[in-house]
Short mmCIF file of all heavy atoms in Angstrom, two decimals:
data_model
loop_
_atom_site.label_atom_id
_atom_site.label_comp_id
_atom_site.label_asym_id
_atom_site.label_seq_id
_atom_site.Cartn_x
_atom_site.Cartn_y
_atom_site.Cartn_z
N LEU A 954 -53.97 8.35 99.31
CA LEU A 954 -53.87 8.51 97.85
C LEU A 954 -55.21 9.01 97.27
O LEU A 954 -55.20 9.71 96.25
CB LEU A 954 -53.53 7.15 97.23
CG LEU A 954 -52.13 6.62 97.54
CD1 LEU A 954 -51.97 5.25 96.91
CD2 LEU A 954 -51.08 7.56 97.03
N THR A 955 -56.32 8.65 97.88
CA THR A 955 -57.61 9.08 97.35
C THR A 955 -57.79 10.58 97.50
O THR A 955 -58.17 11.28 96.53
CB THR A 955 -58.77 8.36 98.03
OG1 THR A 955 -58.56 6.94 97.94
CG2 THR A 955 -60.11 8.70 97.44
N ALA A 956 -57.50 11.11 98.71
CA ALA A 956 -57.68 12.55 98.91
C ALA A 956 -56.47 13.34 98.55
O ALA A 956 -56.53 14.56 98.41
CB ALA A 956 -58.04 12.81 100.38
N GLY A 957 -55.31 12.67 98.44
CA GLY A 957 -54.11 13.38 98.12
C GLY A 957 -53.59 14.24 99.26
O GLY A 957 -52.95 15.26 99.02
N SER A 958 -53.85 13.84 100.53
CA SER A 958 -53.49 14.66 101.69
C SER A 958 -52.61 13.82 102.62
O SER A 958 -52.64 12.58 102.62
CB SER A 958 -54.74 15.10 102.44
OG SER A 958 -55.49 13.99 102.86
N LEU A 959 -51.86 14.55 103.47
CA LEU A 959 -50.97 13.96 104.44
C LEU A 959 -51.62 14.04 105.81
O LEU A 959 -52.03 15.13 106.27
CB LEU A 959 -49.64 14.69 104.47
CG LEU A 959 -48.47 13.99 105.16
CD1 LEU A 959 -48.09 12.70 104.42
CD2 LEU A 959 -47.26 14.92 105.21
N GLU A 960 -51.80 12.88 106.48
CA GLU A 960 -52.52 12.84 107.76
C GLU A 960 -51.61 12.23 108.84
O GLU A 960 -50.63 11.55 108.53
CB GLU A 960 -53.79 12.04 107.61
CG GLU A 960 -54.77 12.56 106.55
CD GLU A 960 -55.97 11.66 106.35
OE1 GLU A 960 -55.98 10.58 106.99
OE2 GLU A 960 -56.82 12.01 105.53
N SER A 961 -52.01 12.45 110.08
CA SER A 961 -51.26 11.94 111.25
C SER A 961 -51.68 10.49 111.52
O SER A 961 -52.80 10.09 111.21
CB SER A 961 -51.49 12.81 112.48
OG SER A 961 -50.83 12.23 113.59
N THR A 962 -50.78 9.72 112.19
CA THR A 962 -51.09 8.35 112.51
C THR A 962 -51.55 8.15 113.94
O THR A 962 -51.65 6.99 114.42
CB THR A 962 -49.80 7.49 112.29
OG1 THR A 962 -48.74 8.02 113.13
CG2 THR A 962 -49.37 7.52 110.84
N GLU A 963 -51.89 9.26 114.65
CA GLU A 963 -52.36 9.13 116.05
C GLU A 963 -53.66 8.35 116.13
O GLU A 963 -53.84 7.50 117.00
CB GLU A 963 -52.52 10.50 116.65
CG GLU A 963 -51.19 11.26 116.81
CD GLU A 963 -51.39 12.62 117.44
OE1 GLU A 963 -52.56 12.93 117.77
OE2 GLU A 963 -50.38 13.35 117.64
N SER A 964 -54.59 8.62 115.19
CA SER A 964 -55.88 7.89 115.20
C SER A 964 -55.67 6.39 114.95
O SER A 964 -56.39 5.57 115.47
CB SER A 964 -56.81 8.49 114.15
OG SER A 964 -56.23 8.39 112.85
N THR A 965 -54.66 6.08 114.18
CA THR A 965 -54.41 4.67 113.90
C THR A 965 -53.94 3.93 115.13
O THR A 965 -54.36 2.78 115.42
CB THR A 965 -53.35 4.54 112.78
OG1 THR A 965 -53.79 5.25 111.62
CG2 THR A 965 -53.10 3.08 112.44
N TYR A 966 -53.04 4.61 115.95
CA TYR A 966 -52.54 3.97 117.13
C TYR A 966 -53.60 3.91 118.24
O TYR A 966 -53.58 3.03 119.09
CB TYR A 966 -51.31 4.72 117.64
CG TYR A 966 -50.08 4.46 116.82
CD1 TYR A 966 -49.62 5.44 115.94
CD2 TYR A 966 -49.40 3.24 116.91
CE1 TYR A 966 -48.51 5.23 115.14
CE2 TYR A 966 -48.29 3.03 116.12
CZ TYR A 966 -47.84 3.99 115.24
OH TYR A 966 -46.73 3.78 114.47
N VAL A 967 -54.51 4.91 118.22
CA VAL A 967 -55.55 4.92 119.23
C VAL A 967 -56.58 3.80 118.97
O VAL A 967 -56.96 3.04 119.85
CB VAL A 967 -56.25 6.30 119.29
CG1 VAL A 967 -57.50 6.25 120.18
CG2 VAL A 967 -55.29 7.33 119.78
N SER A 968 -57.05 3.69 117.68
CA SER A 968 -58.10 2.69 117.33
C SER A 968 -57.51 1.34 117.01
O SER A 968 -58.26 0.41 116.81
CB SER A 968 -58.86 3.20 116.14
OG SER A 968 -58.02 3.38 115.01
N LYS A 969 -56.18 1.23 116.97
CA LYS A 969 -55.52 -0.05 116.62
C LYS A 969 -55.94 -0.59 115.28
O LYS A 969 -55.88 -1.78 115.02
CB LYS A 969 -55.81 -1.13 117.70
CG LYS A 969 -55.47 -0.73 119.11
CD LYS A 969 -53.97 -0.47 119.26
CE LYS A 969 -53.63 -0.13 120.71
NZ LYS A 969 -52.18 0.13 120.87
N ALA A 970 -56.36 0.30 114.38
CA ALA A 970 -56.76 -0.13 113.03
C ALA A 970 -56.55 1.05 112.10
O ALA A 970 -56.69 2.23 112.47
CB ALA A 970 -58.22 -0.57 113.00
N GLN A 971 -56.23 0.72 110.88
CA GLN A 971 -55.95 1.76 109.91
C GLN A 971 -57.26 2.23 109.29
O GLN A 971 -58.09 1.40 108.84
CB GLN A 971 -55.04 1.23 108.80
CG GLN A 971 -54.61 2.31 107.81
CD GLN A 971 -53.59 1.78 106.81
OE1 GLN A 971 -53.23 0.63 106.88
NE2 GLN A 971 -53.17 2.69 105.96
N GLY A 972 -57.49 3.52 109.29
CA GLY A 972 -58.72 4.07 108.73
C GLY A 972 -58.74 4.03 107.22
O GLY A 972 -57.73 4.14 106.55
N THR A 973 -59.96 3.89 106.71
CA THR A 973 -60.13 3.83 105.23
C THR A 973 -60.13 5.20 104.59
O THR A 973 -59.93 5.33 103.39
CB THR A 973 -61.44 3.13 104.87
OG1 THR A 973 -62.52 3.79 105.51
CG2 THR A 973 -61.40 1.65 105.36
N GLY A 974 -60.38 6.23 105.39
CA GLY A 974 -60.37 7.55 104.82
C GLY A 974 -61.62 7.81 104.02
O GLY A 974 -62.65 7.18 104.17
N THR A 975 -61.54 8.77 103.18
CA THR A 975 -62.66 9.18 102.35
C THR A 975 -62.95 8.18 101.27
O THR A 975 -62.03 7.67 100.63
CB THR A 975 -62.40 10.55 101.68
OG1 THR A 975 -62.03 11.48 102.72
CG2 THR A 975 -63.64 11.07 100.98
N THR A 976 -64.19 7.83 101.09
CA THR A 976 -64.57 6.88 100.03
C THR A 976 -64.37 7.51 98.67
O THR A 976 -64.83 8.63 98.43
CB THR A 976 -66.02 6.42 100.21
OG1 THR A 976 -66.18 5.90 101.52
CG2 THR A 976 -66.40 5.40 99.17
N PRO A 977 -63.66 6.87 97.78
CA PRO A 977 -63.44 7.46 96.46
C PRO A 977 -64.71 7.58 95.69
O PRO A 977 -65.64 6.74 95.84
CB PRO A 977 -62.45 6.48 95.78
CG PRO A 977 -62.68 5.17 96.49
CD PRO A 977 -63.04 5.53 97.87
N PRO A 978 -64.82 8.58 94.87
CA PRO A 978 -66.05 8.74 94.06
C PRO A 978 -66.18 7.58 93.08
O PRO A 978 -65.19 7.01 92.64
CB PRO A 978 -65.81 10.06 93.35
CG PRO A 978 -64.33 10.21 93.31
CD PRO A 978 -63.82 9.58 94.55
N PRO A 979 -67.40 7.21 92.74
CA PRO A 979 -67.61 6.11 91.82
C PRO A 979 -67.09 6.48 90.43
O PRO A 979 -67.16 7.63 90.02
CB PRO A 979 -69.12 5.89 91.83
CG PRO A 979 -69.69 7.21 92.25
CD PRO A 979 -68.71 7.78 93.21
N THR A 980 -66.57 5.47 89.74
CA THR A 980 -66.07 5.68 88.39
C THR A 980 -67.23 5.92 87.44
O THR A 980 -68.15 5.11 87.39
CB THR A 980 -65.24 4.46 87.91
OG1 THR A 980 -64.21 4.24 88.88
CG2 THR A 980 -64.66 4.69 86.56
N PRO A 981 -67.20 7.02 86.71
CA PRO A 981 -68.36 7.28 85.80
C PRO A 981 -68.40 6.25 84.69
O PRO A 981 -67.39 5.91 84.09
CB PRO A 981 -68.00 8.68 85.25
CG PRO A 981 -66.55 8.85 85.45
CD PRO A 981 -66.17 8.05 86.64
N THR A 982 -69.55 5.73 84.48
CA THR A 982 -69.73 4.76 83.38
C THR A 982 -69.81 5.45 82.05
O THR A 982 -70.28 6.59 81.97
CB THR A 982 -70.99 3.90 83.64
OG1 THR A 982 -72.11 4.79 83.71
CG2 THR A 982 -70.85 3.13 84.93
N SER A 983 -69.40 4.75 81.04
CA SER A 983 -69.40 5.33 79.68
C SER A 983 -70.80 5.45 79.17
O SER A 983 -71.66 4.59 79.38
CB SER A 983 -68.55 4.47 78.74
OG SER A 983 -68.64 4.99 77.43
N SER A 984 -71.11 6.52 78.49
CA SER A 984 -72.42 6.73 77.89
C SER A 984 -72.57 6.01 76.56
O SER A 984 -73.58 6.11 75.90
CB SER A 984 -72.64 8.22 77.66
OG SER A 984 -71.67 8.74 76.77
#
Side-chain angles (χ1 to χ4, degrees):
L954 294 177
T955 304
S958 59
L959 195 65
E960 301 174 357
S961 176
T962 58
E963 294 181 0
S964 59
T965 304
Y966 287 104
V967 171
S968 61
K969 304 297 182 180
Q971 186 175 0
T973 57
T975 307
T976 304
T980 304
T982 59
S983 175
S984 62

